[in-house]
Amino acid sequence: MRGWCFLVIKWYIITAVLSVLFSFIIEKTADCIIKNKRFTVRENLAIKRFLIILVINIAVWVLCLNRYSLTPQTVIACLFFDIAFCMAIVDLYTKKISTAFIISLFVLSVAFVLVQKDNPWYSHIFGCGLGFIPLFCIRYFAGIKAKQEALGSADVYIGGISGLFLGFEKFLLAGLTSALSALIFVEIVKRIKGYDKTHRYAFSPFLVFGFTLSLLFGDLILQRYYDLIFSIVL
């Protein structure tokens, strides 16, 4: 028993240490993209941003290990989150998402679907459709009505990729969380900053927030929801 506890603690420590390294890579990668310069480790870190990245990254990595144990799912989920996290930071500053982010996340999503055993493969296909089609319709019809982009094309792809990764039920939770958090944030910022309706907001940070919440706590939230519905019906 003591040996097993020591092994678990060891892996949590290793996970935390690795997440520090990847936090550094996220900060440096985002910084070089935002400032349009070469990747280098010599320049000083943006300490405040790095500490925020570090705390969030360690928390997500440790919770992923707790959720999926020490499996390939854990590795893929952590890598997916880190790439998506870096993408969200870049999008927040530049309002642009590189094709490299989209391709990397798609490859990891396919890998996750292949190794996971929680959901049938068709749930992930339906999740992909649920993530892609509504965002595509919002982008298309809002663009016709407002004559400007309501969503970037990259956001639509990221929605589909996130749905592929999470599956139908979990992405439904992630999509609702993303939309609700975006609406609340936009209203608060509009009141504080006084932005007009033409101001553009990055949507990918909200997608990443909803994705992360669903990845880590989706099973618990959905189970509580189903228990509540069954208790009301029965």
Side-chain angles (χ1 to χ4, degrees):
M1 183 67 178
R2 180 180 294 181
W4 180 83
C5 291
F6 176 77
L7 182 63
V8 171
I9 293 172
K10 182 182 74 172
W11 278 114
Y12 274 105
I13 292 174
I14 291 173
T15 299
V17 171
L18 286 174
S19 68
V20 173
L21 173 62
F22 277 84
S23 298
F24 178 80
I25 294 173
I26 291 172
E27 162 58 27
K28 284 298 182 180
T29 302
D31 188 60
C32 78
I33 295 174
I34 292 168
K35 296 179 179 179
N36 193 24
K37 62 182 183 181
R38 290 185 178 181
F39 186 94
T40 177
V41 298
R42 294 182 179 180
E43 290 191 14
N44 294 331
L45 288 171
I47 298 299
K48 183 178 179 180
R49 187 171 64 196
F50 173 70
L51 290 177
I52 294 173
I53 292 171
L54 180 63
V55 171
I56 294 174
N57 206 40
I58 290 177
V60 171
W61 275 49
V62 170
L63 287 170
C64 271
L65 180 61
N66 182 66
R67 165 66 180 85
Y68 296 106
S69 301
L70 188 60
T71 62
Q73 287 176 269
T74 308
V75 177
I76 296 172
C78 289
L79 290 176
F80 187 100
F81 170 76
D82 277 357
I83 294 173
F85 194 15
C86 184
M87 175 197 69
I89 294 171
V90 172
D91 189 24
L92 192 62
Y93 281 88
T94 66
K95 305 296 186 297
K96 295 179 181 179
I97 296 177
S98 169
T99 305
F101 284 125
I102 297 174
I103 294 173
S104 300
L105 293 177
F106 176 73
V107 171
L108 288 173
S109 292
V110 173
F112 187 83
V113 173
L114 293 175
V115 301
Q116 67 84 38
K117 299 179 180 179
D118 297 335
N119 299 314
W121 62 269
Y122 53 82
S123 174
H124 294 273
I125 299 299
F126 290 147
C128 181
L130 181 64
F132 182 85
I133 295 173
L135 293 182
F136 176 81
C137 291
I138 291 172
R139 170 179 164 79
Y140 180 76
F141 290 110
I144 292 176
K145 183 177 180 179
K147 298 185 185 300
Q148 65 177 15
E149 284 191 348
L151 280 174
S153 59
D155 293 322
V156 178
Y157 293 130
I158 296 301
I161 291 169
S162 299
L164 178 64
F165 191 104
L166 293 171
F168 184 82
E169 290 181 322
K170 287 185 181 179
F171 184 77
L172 184 59
L173 172 63
L176 291 173
T177 303
S178 301
L180 182 61
S181 60
L183 287 172
I184 294 172
F185 177 83
V186 168
E187 284 301 317
I188 292 174
V189 170
K190 281 172 65 177
R191 291 179 182 274
I192 294 175
K193 299 290 187 178
Y195 293 143
D196 59 23
K197 294 182 180 180
T198 61
H199 184 77
R200 294 183 63 191
Y201 302 88
F203 186 60
S204 65
F206 304 106
L207 281 173
V208 174
F209 171 71
F211 167 86
T212 306
L213 180 70
S214 188
L215 175 71
L216 298 176
F217 306 110
D219 290 330
L220 177 62
I221 294 173
L222 290 172
Q223 186 59 53
R224 293 291 176 87
Y225 174 75
Y226 293 145
D227 290 343
L228 177 61
I229 295 299
F230 289 146
S231 65
I232 293 174
V233 173
L234 300 177

